[in-house]
Amino acid sequence: MSLDAATIRRVANLARLRVEDDEVPRLQAELNGILGWIEQLQAVDTTGVEAMSGGGDAILPLRPDVVTDGGQAEAVLANAPDRAGVFFAVPKVVE
Amino acid sequence: MTYVLDGATGPWEVVIGLEVHAQVTSESKLFSGAATAFGAEPNSQVSFVDAGFPGMLPVINAECVAQAVRTGAGLKAEINLWSRFDRKNYFYADLPQGYQISQFEFPIVGKGVLEIELADGTRKDIGITRLHLEQDAGKSLHDQHATKSYIDLNRSGVALMEIVSEPDMRSPEEAGAYLTKLRQILRYLGTCDGNMEQGSLRADVNVSVRKSGEEFRTRCEVKNVNSIRYVMQAVEAEAKRQIEVWEAGEKVTQETRLFDTTRGMTRSMRSKEDAHDYRYFPDPDLPPLVLDEGWVEELRAALPELPDARRARYVQDFGLSPYDAHVLVLEKETAAFYEEVAQGRDPKQAANWVMGDFFAALNRTGKAITESPVSAKNLGALLDLIADSTLSGKLAKEVFEAMVETGETPGAIVEARGLRQVTDTGAIEAAVDAMLAANADKVAQYHAGKATLFGFFVGQTMKSMQGRGNPALVNDVLKRKLGA
Amino acid sequence: MEATHFSLAGALSALEEGLISAVELTEAHLKAIEAVNPQINAFITVTAEAALAAARAADDRRAQGEAGPLNGIPLAIKDLFCTQGVRTTAGSRILGDFVPPYESTVTKNLLRDGAVFLGKANLDEFAMGSSNETSAFGGVQNPWRRRDNQGVALVPGGSSGGSAAAVAARLALGATATDTGGSIRQPAAFCGIVGIKPTYGRCSRWGIVAFASSLDQAGPIARTVEDSAILLRSMAGHDPKDSTSAEREVPDFAAACHRSVKGLRIGVPAEYRLDAMPAEIQALWDQGIAWLKAEGARIVPISLPHTKYALPTYYIVAPAEASSNLARYDGVRFGMRVPGEDLKDLYERTRAAGFGAEVKRRIMIGTYVLSAGYYDAYYVKAQQVRALIRRDFETAFADCDAILTPSTPSAAFASGDKQDDPIAMYLNDVFTVTANLSGLPAMSIPAGLDAQGLPLGLQVIGRGFDEETVFTVGAAIERAAGFSALPQVMA
Ligand SMILES: [Mg+2]
Ligand SMILES: [Zn+2]
């Protein structure tokens, strides 16, 4: 599987990374190099092997339904690059 | 009756499936300890988990899991003892983590069924495909500033149950009935307050049209419709639009649309134009959710009686008409009120009072049953006063009106206003004698054969007693005195 | 003796005996940082005033008999751990001037036990790297130099390169670090010190900037095995705020350092004998085997057949998780923002300017392997191979109690050497990454020098939650090796 320039742009769009036109060939070469190397996995017979998900054997711990957090709007907003009073602000979104 | 829409090329059938997002009733959020209460100051119910801060991790709320299990049980659905959370990746201003934690491949609840009833009495089973738990997003306000959108994350991370139906509905009425019934069940279960104005219940409506006998055609999803009436309108508007598209020789393209309630039309969502690829994968921060079978059975055993069962019981045990039973179980609160009134009393008489004078009083005062000035206990006490002949039916109505006005007990009103019915035969005889003496001419006419005057004598006697005479006794005494 | 040359355990005794105060110890390290850090760039942020205040408080506590197990010990904190009120960068521009309003669980545990934080240690951006050259705050220099060319700057390894360099150069008695594919053990090996990645779930991930959630584990870097045992005991423990944190008692790891390896079965995996492996590495490994045998351990040949697939597996799983974990850096709630025509443009410009090349590369790979049509072929396949790698270890551990391997396929290399070849860079982690994929504890111990006088490490891998055996074996190697060489750049 080799990535063409259009795929590079599609993936960059999904990842919300701005890619200039002159960056595409370099990215394409690098990613194809890495993906080509990864390709060796296809040689492993994984028939009937259950895929791992997560890093351990744990099952999900449940917490009680109690309010223990919140009430800290100022701390939540303090690092915002742009805010309007008690809101975060972003360029207007048209739905 | 099959619902069809007539186009230029003939009749079209409508195919509808609903994805309902129901906010789980819980104190705190699905994966954080922030509160869920409606209407709080912007960003005041936000933990750093909800705001997607670096290094923050989700921990699941046991009650939200329990609520999903209860709802699944109430929908007669399979409960999956092993389920998993996945990430749905996309960028949006009110999605702080850049992904929604949801359940994609392995939902907590599988297939179930919901029976709906239509106006003409027909019943129909609508399949439930699945129910899964997921996080709500925050709220974007687009109308506060000329060039900016404002973000409030109070809703971010609130638990939602997404309840997906099969494409089993065929008319706006069926869609409306489905949503009505679903809301009713959620409220009975106490798993969602069903408040559509506040957004606790929202429907994504999947609509397609087809000619009779065809396979499904392309569907469109009308997002976030927030009332049952709008769902029905949106179905019709979107179906008509699609018919026009097909009949113009074009193709309906699968897309997400919005229902414009003022124009009664659906329109394409610009922000969702971007081709989506959600890149679902298991959330590595959350091990699988494994439920203990015994715990699930405990929750199932503790489920409240649901509306269908309750209605059947009212018909069978209380002898109510199916219609009356239906009306009384519509709202959980009404049914509870009714049952308290009916407890140990004549259930039919209780139903008549609740559905008659009581509903009329609520209507007139514009009050909800939970804020009614007449409590179920007091209405029951009123029925007791009728049963022990303290009050006649007519007096009872008078007492009831006083109860609506003052909120006092019927006993207190009867005492204070001296409304106790007169059952003392001596007093009634005296009143009858006085009345007959004052109407000697009418008595003569009566004896001459004008029998219809009997009613006049009853009325005059009651009037002289300020309506308090026991009607049966007044009748008896009159008959005896008139030698009838 | 210079105050900065104490071992951590030695410093604790000196503090207890009143030979030195926490303030003196901290001052000595701050002075060392001032002198040496401009050259090696191990710290991004130095919090001198806060450190001195913490040291004074530690001295007060000791005077009142309330000294915790790390009371007054000056540490470097990898700048991936969120520290309340102290700027946290993850080695990236994109976090801007982010000041966390919370303290990570691991650093909170260290503070509870009385530690003094000197500042935030440099690292590869978002912990993605094996050379510490991807930091937005400049590379870190290894304090060691080649015997025959002292002028060439070497990398300290990565991603915890700042932590390792700081500890090696005597700028801190120990450091926190994280390990996703080898990021504790590889820099520890390159810098001639000790580093352990504990079992997945042993240390809470809460408050650590996430790279790849199913692989990330925090652990200590220190100059001796016992020092790392003392640090890990404080760092570890169950945390209800992390759903993957293990509900397990934390043993006395330091006690395990004094046990004998006699009777232990040490597995030696055939598949770790790489064709192109330098003879020095092979010789060191053989030496390690001989040391343990001499101490009474039994050497068992084992097979880990899927070893060669570990790196490609890692380079699917880790970027996939990272692509999602790093979506939150969008210029809306914290960190830097580059204005745009609309929200999407703002996202794209912010992320393009905020992330460095390696991070972008991994986000792209991760996004691609999760995308429609490729998910099964890449992500699911990798998670299946991962299950096989884990199964290999389970099988092997039926026959042995710990596994001995080299830590890295080479000693520290020169800055810039592998920057243009991502795959050559990735191969640094060939021996370490299997422990991350299978969640097992693994430690690197300095065991010798190569021909250029650069340190080389041996790795001990243990069963899940059996760090104690890892410490026992690690301490035995440490004693046998008697590693006493010192780096050229040092306070
Ligand atoms: Mg939907
Ligand atoms: Zn949903």
Side-chain angles (χ1 to χ4, degrees):
Chain A
M1 282 178 256
S2 179
L3 306 193
D4 56 16
T7 306
I8 296 286
R9 288 202 181 82
R10 183 176 61 80
V11 172
N13 178 53
L14 280 175
R16 294 294 185 270
L17 289 170
R18 186 184 166 92
V19 173
E20 306 297 343
D21 287 348
D22 59 355
E23 291 177 276
V24 172
R26 182 185 52 80
L27 264 173
Q28 202 179 335
E30 281 173 3
L31 299 192
N32 277 323
I34 296 166
L35 286 167
W37 171 68
I38 284 171
E39 207 63 30
Q40 57 179 299
L41 281 192
Q42 303 309 325
V44 185
D45 181 4
T46 51
T47 321
V49 177
E50 203 186 320
M52 263 180 84
S53 66
D57 298 318
I59 60 166
L60 196 59
L62 309 180
R63 60 164 233 277
D65 182 24
V66 182
V67 176
T68 55
D69 212 333
Q72 45 172 5
E74 198 42 49
V76 165
L77 289 154
N79 278 289
D82 188 16
R83 62 183 277 193
V86 288
F87 294 101
F88 295 100
V90 296
K92 202 177 193 75
V93 178
V94 184
E95 279 195 330
Chain B
M1 262 272 293
T2 319
Y3 173 88
V4 290
L5 285 170
D6 288 312
T9 60
W12 291 82
E13 188 179 65
V14 187
V15 177
I16 308 146
L18 256 56
E19 287 170 26
V20 174
H21 284 96
Q23 180 180 329
V24 175
T25 300
S26 65
E27 295 298 321
S28 60
K29 294 182 180 180
L30 182 55
F31 292 115
S32 89
T36 58
F38 180 79
E41 279 292 297
N43 288 310
S44 68
Q45 294 180 166
V46 182
S47 79
F48 297 117
V49 178
D50 311 321
F53 269 50
M56 293 298 96
L57 296 172
V59 182
I60 201 166
N61 181 339
E63 177 61 10
C64 296
V65 175
Q67 294 286 51
V69 170
R70 289 185 190 109
T71 307
L75 295 171
K76 304 184 192 81
E78 305 156 27
I79 308 297
N80 294 323
L81 297 179
W82 193 97
S83 68
R84 191 177 70 193
F85 286 91
D86 301 294
R87 292 185 183 178
K88 178 181 181 178
N89 294 284
Y90 66 98
F91 286 85
Y92 200 71
D94 52 25
L95 189 74
Q97 294 159 309
Y99 55 84
Q100 178 195 35
I101 305 178
S102 182
Q103 296 188 295
F104 182 59
E105 244 187 294
F106 300 99
I108 183 166
V109 175
K111 283 197 184 311
V113 68
L114 187 92
E115 189 189 57
I116 59 169
E117 189 176 322
L118 304 173
D120 66 359
T122 12
R123 293 181 178 210
K124 182 175 176 182
D125 279 347
I126 306 297
I128 303 286
T129 314
R130 58 185 282 161
L131 175 156
H132 68 252
L133 280 168
E134 63 184 23
Q135 301 175 295
D136 203 352
K139 199 166 83 180
S140 299
L141 293 91
H142 304 303
D143 52 3
Q144 306 285 306
H145 188 277
T147 59
K148 291 178 183 183
S149 289
Y150 289 174
I151 313 295
D152 171 12
L153 297 179
N154 278 351
R155 290 195 72 97
S156 168
V158 166
L160 300 178
M161 296 180 281
E162 182 173 327
I163 304 162
V164 183
S165 85
E166 296 289 320
D168 286 350
M169 288 156 274
R170 294 290 177 271
S171 69
E173 191 200 357
E174 289 184 12
Y178 171 84
L179 196 51
T180 306
K181 184 67 175 285
L182 179 59
R183 186 171 70 155
Q184 186 189 30
I185 289 177
L186 295 172
R187 289 171 116 153
Y188 263 76
L189 292 168
T191 58
C192 168
D193 68 21
N195 193 327
M196 297 191 79
E197 302 84 71
Q198 293 179 2
S200 307
L201 198 68
R202 285 115 69 187
D204 298 342
V205 190
N206 286 292
V207 180
S208 64
V209 296
R210 66 174 174 186
K211 295 282 187 170
S212 171
E214 279 184 354
E215 297 288 297
F216 292 147
R217 296 197 187 197
T218 312
R219 65 187 162 87
C220 289
E221 184 179 13
V222 187
K223 274 261 180 231
N224 274 336
V225 188
N226 64 358
S227 91
I228 293 172
R229 194 162 52 94
Y230 289 154
V231 165
M232 296 168 71
Q233 289 174 4
V235 167
E236 193 174 339
E238 177 56 16
K240 284 181 173 163
R241 183 191 72 84
Q242 290 182 17
I243 292 170
E244 278 177 29
V245 172
W246 290 120
E247 292 192 335
E250 288 159 27
K251 279 194 152 122
V252 168
T253 40
Q254 187 163 346
E255 61 175 346
T256 304
R257 302 179 67 85
L258 274 183
F259 183 58
D260 183 331
T261 53
T262 48
R263 292 195 201 153
M265 287 161 51
T266 68
R267 63 173 169 86
S268 196
M269 276 180 87
R270 285 177 57 186
S271 62
K272 302 268 173 178
E273 263 170 25
D274 215 24
H276 275 314
D277 183 344
Y278 291 122
R279 291 160 283 137
Y280 283 101
F281 76 107
D283 191 327
D285 289 331
L286 295 162
L289 173 58
V290 181
L291 304 180
D292 177 64
E293 197 162 3
W295 184 63
V296 170
E297 288 318 311
E298 264 172 50
L299 291 173
R300 201 192 293 280
L303 283 191
E305 185 183 34
L306 290 178
D308 284 355
R310 188 168 280 205
R311 186 170 69 167
R313 180 163 62 83
Y314 287 4
V315 172
Q316 206 163 11
D317 297 0
F318 291 173
L320 301 192
S321 73
Y323 175 78
D324 285 2
H326 166 78
V327 170
L328 287 171
V329 303
L330 272 180
E331 301 280 346
K332 183 185 180 183
E333 291 76 13
T334 310
F337 188 96
Y338 164 70
E339 292 211 18
E340 195 180 340
V341 176
Q343 178 71 41
R345 304 189 177 94
D346 173 1
K348 278 189 177 172
Q349 191 195 19
N352 289 339
W353 270 91
V354 170
M355 293 173 64
D357 294 78
F358 178 71
F359 276 5
L362 287 184
N363 253 328
R364 201 170 62 238
T365 54
K367 286 193 166 154
I369 195 161
T370 46
E371 49 188 28
S372 160
V374 178
S375 67
K377 194 173 159 219
N378 285 350
L379 184 54
L382 183 68
L383 298 197
D384 291 341
L385 292 177
I386 298 169
D388 71 7
S389 296
T390 305
L391 292 175
S392 64
K394 188 158 174 288
L395 276 177
K397 285 184 189 292
E398 202 179 323
V399 172
F400 180 77
E401 290 314 317
M403 289 163 70
V404 173
E405 265 165 48
T406 63
E408 285 176 31
T409 65
I413 291 167
V414 165
E415 287 312 319
R417 306 195 182 187
L419 289 174
R420 188 178 291 275
Q421 169 172 251
V422 178
T423 49
D424 169 5
T425 331
I428 292 172
E429 278 186 13
V432 168
D433 286 344
M435 186 277 298
L436 291 177
N439 291 289
D441 50 337
K442 296 276 193 327
V443 174
Q445 287 173 26
Y446 177 82
H447 285 304
K450 201 168 177 186
T452 51
L453 278 169
F454 190 82
F456 169 79
F457 296 137
V458 173
Q460 288 303 105
T461 308
M462 290 300 270
K463 191 176 167 190
S464 73
M465 298 183 75
Q466 290 99 39
R468 291 164 49 213
N470 177 303
L473 287 176
V474 169
N475 260 292
D476 286 353
V477 171
L478 260 174
K479 275 181 190 161
R480 192 152 37 80
K481 296 273 176 185
L482 289 167
Chain C
M1 178 178 173
E2 284 271 2
T4 53
H5 286 242
F6 278 116
S7 68
L8 192 151
L12 279 172
S13 317
L15 286 164
E16 187 55 35
E17 288 163 30
L19 300 176
I20 192 167
S21 71
V23 169
E24 286 163 343
L25 195 58
T26 299
E27 276 171 345
H29 282 94
L30 289 171
K31 236 168 82 190
I33 292 170
E34 216 174 296
V36 175
N37 194 56
Q39 189 184 348
I40 66 171
N41 198 28
F43 283 88
I44 292 173
T45 305
V46 179
T47 51
E49 270 176 47
L52 286 170
R56 278 191 292 275
D59 283 332
D60 290 347
R61 278 195 305 273
R62 194 174 294 280
Q64 274 153 35
E66 289 163 9
L70 289 174
N71 199 61
I73 295 298
L75 300 176
I77 304 301
K78 186 178 185 179
D79 207 10
L80 201 64
F81 291 78
C82 287
T83 41
Q84 188 164 3
V86 177
R87 182 188 183 200
T88 298
T89 70
S92 181
R93 274 184 300 278
I94 205 156
L95 272 151
D97 289 318
F98 175 62
V99 176
Y102 42 84
E103 187 75 35
S104 84
T105 297
V106 163
T107 47
K108 195 182 254 180
N109 290 346
L110 290 169
L111 292 172
R112 171 204 63 204
D113 286 354
V116 171
F117 294 168
L118 298 165
K120 306 298 290 286
N122 207 340
L123 68 159
D124 277 304
E125 184 177 8
F126 281 102
M128 295 178 190
S130 306
S131 66
N132 217 310
E133 291 163 290
T134 72
S135 170
F137 299 86
V140 175
Q141 269 191 28
N142 195 320
W144 293 79
R145 291 286 193 270
R146 283 184 184 140
R147 205 169 268 153
D148 64 5
N149 195 343
Q150 303 265 332
V152 176
L154 304 178
V155 301
S159 66
S160 310
S163 299
V167 173
R170 273 63 182 170
L171 308 188
L173 290 181
T176 66
T178 62
D179 190 319
T180 305
S183 279
I184 289 177
R185 292 158 287 160
Q186 186 250 12
F190 277 15
C191 293
I193 50 177
V194 177
I196 176 167
K197 177 200 91 73
T199 313
Y200 184 81
R202 181 65 95 179
C203 289
S204 169
R205 292 183 297 113
W206 193 89
I208 301 173
V209 174
F211 161 16
S213 311
S214 74
L215 302 160
D216 294 346
Q217 250 306 290
I221 281 181
R223 289 194 291 266
T224 72
V225 173
E226 186 183 22
D227 287 0
S228 62
I230 293 167
L231 280 174
L232 181 59
R233 192 182 191 190
S234 285
M235 292 167 72
H238 175 242
D239 181 6
K241 293 190 288 190
D242 174 0
S243 299
T244 63
S245 165
E247 239 179 307
R248 292 206 179 226
E249 285 298 308
V250 180
D252 182 354
F253 298 125
C257 299
H258 304 290
R259 287 176 207 150
S260 161
V261 297
K262 197 164 179 183
L264 283 181
R265 296 165 303 165
I266 305 296
V268 177
E271 292 79 5
Y272 280 57
R273 264 172 228 283
L274 301 185
D275 293 340
M277 193 151 72
E280 292 169 312
I281 304 275
Q282 181 62 53
L284 181 81
W285 192 10
D286 292 339
Q287 178 65 72
I289 292 167
W291 285 331
L292 292 175
K293 217 182 207 167
E295 291 292 318
R298 236 177 70 208
I299 304 302
V300 187
I302 57 165
S303 173
L304 298 168
H306 294 90
T307 298
K308 72 178 239 196
Y309 299 111
L311 268 180
T313 297
Y314 174 82
Y315 276 95
I316 291 173
V317 175
E321 293 181 8
S323 72
S324 178
N325 281 337
L326 269 57
R328 65 188 59 197
Y329 305 99
D330 60 4
V332 174
R333 294 161 315 285
F334 46 77
M336 68 173 273
R337 169 186 286 196
V338 178
E341 287 166 25
D342 54 23
L343 183 60
K344 184 166 184 270
D345 193 42
L346 178 152
Y347 286 155
E348 291 177 344
R349 287 178 188 276
T350 300
R351 290 165 60 81
F355 292 133
E358 181 60 22
V359 172
K360 281 192 260 195
R361 196 147 48 216
R362 296 201 197 185
I363 291 176
M364 291 284 288
I365 292 279
T367 303
Y368 179 71
V369 299
L370 289 176
S371 67
Y374 301 99
Y375 177 75
D376 287 330
Y378 285 116
Y379 186 77
V380 175
K381 183 82 181 180
Q383 291 286 33
Q384 285 176 314
V385 178
R386 185 177 176 184
L388 292 174
I389 291 168
R390 206 170 117 116
R391 195 185 294 171
D392 284 352
F393 276 105
E394 277 161 20
T395 309
F397 276 122
D399 300 325
C400 66
D401 304 303
I403 294 169
L404 185 72
T405 79
S407 298
T408 58
S410 76
F413 49 89
S415 305
D417 250 15
K418 301 185 181 183
Q419 249 179 330
D420 298 329
D421 187 352
I423 295 167
M425 186 69 90
Y426 298 168
L427 287 171
N428 270 290
D429 294 331
V430 64
F431 298 137
T432 48
V433 74
T434 51
N436 300 84
L437 289 169
S438 44
L440 302 174
M443 173 190 273
S444 176
I445 306 103
L449 299 174
D450 74 354
Q452 287 295 330
L454 296 178
L456 295 171
L458 285 174
Q459 175 179 239
V460 179
I461 306 172
R463 292 194 183 94
F465 296 103
D466 187 18
E467 286 87 355
E468 287 172 278
T469 299
V470 174
F471 278 111
T472 299
V473 176
I477 291 170
E478 183 180 54
R479 280 191 301 270
F483 186 90
S484 58
L486 291 173
Q488 286 73 10
V489 180
M490 197 173 58

